């Protein structure tokens, strides 16, 4: 590597650091809500950033396009993680699975939410992964339908349709649990 | 045209709409289904101006749709209670992950080995075994053991073996190599010289 290449690499690394600082919190929140596991979220977001550095060809400057790309890659990494997890769980004995049902979910330090809110999280978990993704992006990340459409590749009307059904399902679950 | 338009709007969301549910009016029920299908869009400000006004007006009068809106609102409120801080989700990557990212960027090969350490260990073990085998073979350190030659035990001249204390060293003499006439004294365990023809 000559001097110029080294300088370019240093500049790219500095730009990368800026992008990481800009998006890490949002992506960790997003992955954490999809995976319900802080440790797994850290791995997933770290991998998404590594992919960004390796495959992002344009200037590394925070932008809506870069943001959508990062959410999309983070989601794909999360889906990969969940697939691996389900394969790993298949190897476990039934006894271990039964124990898992009663295990406290790993949410990291400082976990404290009300019983009703816990019910909302449980209702969110009953949704399909696509529905969960859209609810998290809309409700927590406050993304517009247009932004969600860019992240997911769905049409705007499809986003609205899926969200409507997801919210209906959640409300039914919460009513069943007498949380609302 | 305009009054007609207003008339149409009144038909969709007009007075007495709430009462229509009691009469099981199919057309009105259809309107409620349409309204409820866009309630979440309306509540999250995704609905365009005109349609938003329509929903707003309908909600003012329709109890069933008010109930549906209330459920969505309650669900959203509960979800809102589970903020990132409360659920213990970190807001920044750990130092270990940051180090890993930098290593993956600056030293991709090292990172690959780190991630696939089991495959890397197997590959290294196979390479070490192969190299060791080749070195031993090339340097001829690894050869078949020499075939033992006949030994002559010289003892008593009458043919009786020499009596020795148990455990003491028994002298063993190998047959002299042809032409040399030399007899070498050896001990048990030492590889004997094979006889030349
Ligand atoms: Zn209605």
């Amino acid at each position: 590597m000559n001097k110029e290449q080294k300088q370019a690499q240093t500049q790219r690394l500095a730009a990368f650091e800026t992008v990481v600082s800009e998006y890490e919190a949002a992506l960790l929140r997003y992955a954490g809500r999809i995976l319900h596991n802080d440790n797994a979220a850290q791995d997933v977001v770290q991998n998404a950033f590594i992919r960004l550095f390796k495959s992002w060809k344009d200037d590394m400057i925070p932008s809506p396009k870069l943001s959508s790309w990062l959410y999309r890659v983070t989601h794909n990494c999360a889906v990969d993680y969940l697939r691996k997890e389900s394969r790993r769980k298949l190897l476990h004995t039934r006894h271990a699975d039964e124990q898992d049902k009663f295990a406290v979910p790993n949410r990291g330090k400082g976990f404290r939410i009300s019983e009703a809110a816990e019910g909302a999280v449980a209702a969110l978990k009953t949704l399909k992964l696509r529905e969960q993704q859209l609810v998290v992006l809309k409700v927590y990340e406050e993304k517009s339908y247009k932004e969600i459409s860019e992240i997911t590749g769905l049409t705007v009307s499809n986003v609205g349709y899926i969200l409507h059904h997801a919210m209906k399902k959640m409300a039914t679950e919460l009513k069943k649990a007498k949380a609302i | 045209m305009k009054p007609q338009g207003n008339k149409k709007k009144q038909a969709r969301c007009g007075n007495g709409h709430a009462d229509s549910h009691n009469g099981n009016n199919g057309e009105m029920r259809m309107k409620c289904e349409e309204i409820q299908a866009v309630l979440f869009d309306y509540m999250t400000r995704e609905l365009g101006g005109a349609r938003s006004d329509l929903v707003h007006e309908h909600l003012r009068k329709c109890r069933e749709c008010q109930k549906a809106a209330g459920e969505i609102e309650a669900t959203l409120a509960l979800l809102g209670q589970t903020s990132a801080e409360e659920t213990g989700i970190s807001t920044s990557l750990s130092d270990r992950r940051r180090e890993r990212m930098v290593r993956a960027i600056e030293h991709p090969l090292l990172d690959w080995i780190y991630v696939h350490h089991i495959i890397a260990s197997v590959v290294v073990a196979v390479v070490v075994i192969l190299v060791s085998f080749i070195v031993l073979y090339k340097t001829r350190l690894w050869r078949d053991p020499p075939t033992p030659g006949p030994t002559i035990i010289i003892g008593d001249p009458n043919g009786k073996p020499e009596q020795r204390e148990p455990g003491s060293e028994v002298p063993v003499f190998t047959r002299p190599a042809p032409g040399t006439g030399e007899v070498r004294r050896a001990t048990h365990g030492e590889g004997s010289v094979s006889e030349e023809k």
Side-chain angles (χ1 to χ4, degrees), chain A residues 24 33 38 138 140 145, chain B residues 41 46 82 90 98 100:
Chain A
E24 64 181 330
R33 291 198 187 279
D38 185 48
K138 183 68 201 164
Y140 294 112
Y145 282 8
Chain B
D41 303 350
E46 288 285 348
T82 61
S90 325
R98 282 180 180 277
R100 158 90 219 281

Side-chain angles (χ1 to χ4, degrees), chain B residues 1 12 18 27 31 39 47 59 66 79 83 88 93 139 151 164 174 176-178 185 187 189 193:
Chain B
M1 285 298 284
R12 285 169 72 98
E27 198 193 340
K31 297 288 172 286
L39 271 181
L47 217 54
L59 279 177
Q66 278 171 12
L79 284 173
S83 67
L93 284 164
T139 55
T151 56
R164 289 184 163 266
T174 58
R185 188 185 170 98
T187 55
V193 180

Side-chain angles (χ1 to χ4, degrees), chain A residues 9 13 16-17 20-21 24-26 28-29 32-33 38-43 45-47 49-50 53-54 107-114 116-118 120-121 124 135 138-140 143-146 160-161 163-164 167 170-171 174-175 179-180, chain B residues 33-47 67-68 70-108 111 114-115:
Chain A
Q9 174 83 346
L13 209 59
F16 175 71
E17 281 290 336
V20 170
S21 311
E24 64 181 330
L28 281 167
R29 257 192 337 253
R33 291 198 187 279
D38 185 48
N39 212 27
Q42 290 256 341
D43 281 342
V45 173
Q46 163 210 275
N47 290 339
F49 279 128
I50 292 171
F53 193 88
K54 286 182 178 172
R107 292 206 174 82
K109 289 172 189 171
F111 168 74
R112 51 179 176 86
I113 56 174
S114 73
E118 182 66 56
V121 174
L124 184 63
V135 170
K138 183 68 201 164
V139 177
Y140 294 112
K143 299 280 178 199
S144 68
Y145 282 8
K146 195 171 173 288
Y161 178 81
L163 274 170
H164 161 69
M167 291 308 289
M170 283 187 73
L174 288 168
K175 268 200 286 183
I180 58 171
Chain B
E33 277 171 15
E34 280 173 13
I35 294 292
Q36 284 174 23
V38 294
L39 271 181
F40 183 74
D41 303 350
Y42 168 75
M43 292 166 85
T44 53
R45 298 169 197 277
E46 288 285 348
L47 217 54
K67 195 180 157 214
E71 283 170 4
I72 293 175
E73 207 167 359
T75 306
L76 285 171
L78 279 184
L79 284 173
Q81 282 181 28
T82 61
S83 67
E85 293 76 30
E86 284 169 331
T87 48
I89 297 169
S90 325
T91 51
S92 63
L93 284 164
S94 66
D95 291 343
R96 191 164 67 83
R97 261 80 175 200
R98 282 180 180 277
E99 282 165 19
R100 158 90 219 281
M101 281 197 312
V102 174
R103 190 180 58 225
I105 289 162
E106 291 185 331
H107 312 286
D111 184 63
Y114 176 80
V115 175

Side-chain angles (χ1 to χ4, degrees), chain A residues 139-154:
Chain A
V139 177
Y140 294 112
E141 298 306 312
E142 296 176 348
K143 299 280 178 199
S144 68
Y145 282 8
K146 195 171 173 288
E147 286 170 312
I148 296 174
S149 158
E150 278 158 14
I151 292 167
T152 57
L154 295 166

Side-chain angles (χ1 to χ4, degrees), chain B:
Chain B
M1 285 298 284
K2 207 176 175 186
Q4 264 185 342
N6 285 341
K7 216 175 184 179
K8 199 177 176 187
K9 196 172 173 181
Q10 268 191 351
R12 285 169 72 98
C13 325
N15 292 337
H17 191 172
D19 298 332
S20 69
H21 295 300
N22 299 330
N24 197 17
N25 184 322
E27 198 193 340
M28 287 304 171
R29 180 156 289 278
M30 184 63 202
K31 297 288 172 286
C32 284
E33 277 171 15
E34 280 173 13
I35 294 292
Q36 284 174 23
V38 294
L39 271 181
F40 183 74
D41 303 350
Y42 168 75
M43 292 166 85
T44 53
R45 298 169 197 277
E46 288 285 348
L47 217 54
R51 291 182 77 199
S52 179
D53 291 346
L54 207 72
V55 174
H56 181 79
E57 194 61 28
H58 182 99
L59 279 177
R60 228 163 44 87
K61 291 153 190 170
C62 177
R63 276 191 197 158
E64 196 168 312
C65 289
Q66 278 171 12
K67 195 180 157 214
E71 283 170 4
I72 293 175
E73 207 167 359
T75 306
L76 285 171
L78 279 184
L79 284 173
Q81 282 181 28
T82 61
S83 67
E85 293 76 30
E86 284 169 331
T87 48
I89 297 169
S90 325
T91 51
S92 63
L93 284 164
S94 66
D95 291 343
R96 191 164 67 83
R97 261 80 175 200
R98 282 180 180 277
E99 282 165 19
R100 158 90 219 281
M101 281 197 312
V102 174
R103 190 180 58 225
I105 289 162
E106 291 185 331
H107 312 286
L109 183 65
L110 270 181
D111 184 63
W112 188 91
I113 292 169
Y114 176 80
V115 175
H116 304 94
H117 56 278
I118 295 172
I119 298 172
S121 309
V122 171
V123 169
V124 168
V126 168
V127 168
V128 166
I129 290 167
L130 276 175
V131 168
S132 309
F133 178 80
I134 291 165
V135 167
L136 286 171
Y137 188 79
K138 291 275 180 194
T139 55
R140 299 175 70 81
L141 285 171
W142 184 10
R143 286 180 290 184
D144 290 337
T147 49
T151 56
I152 303 163
I153 298 174
I154 300 168
D156 184 56
N158 300 326
K160 286 181 186 172
E162 198 177 346
Q163 296 297 310
R164 289 184 163 266
E165 290 294 314
S168 64
E169 196 180 66
V170 179
V172 177
F173 294 92
T174 58
R175 182 174 285 183
T180 60
E182 186 188 315
V183 175
R184 194 164 67 86
R185 188 185 170 98
T187 55
H188 269 305
E190 190 180 335
S192 51
V193 180
S194 58
E195 191 182 18
E196 284 178 24
K197 285 183 182 173

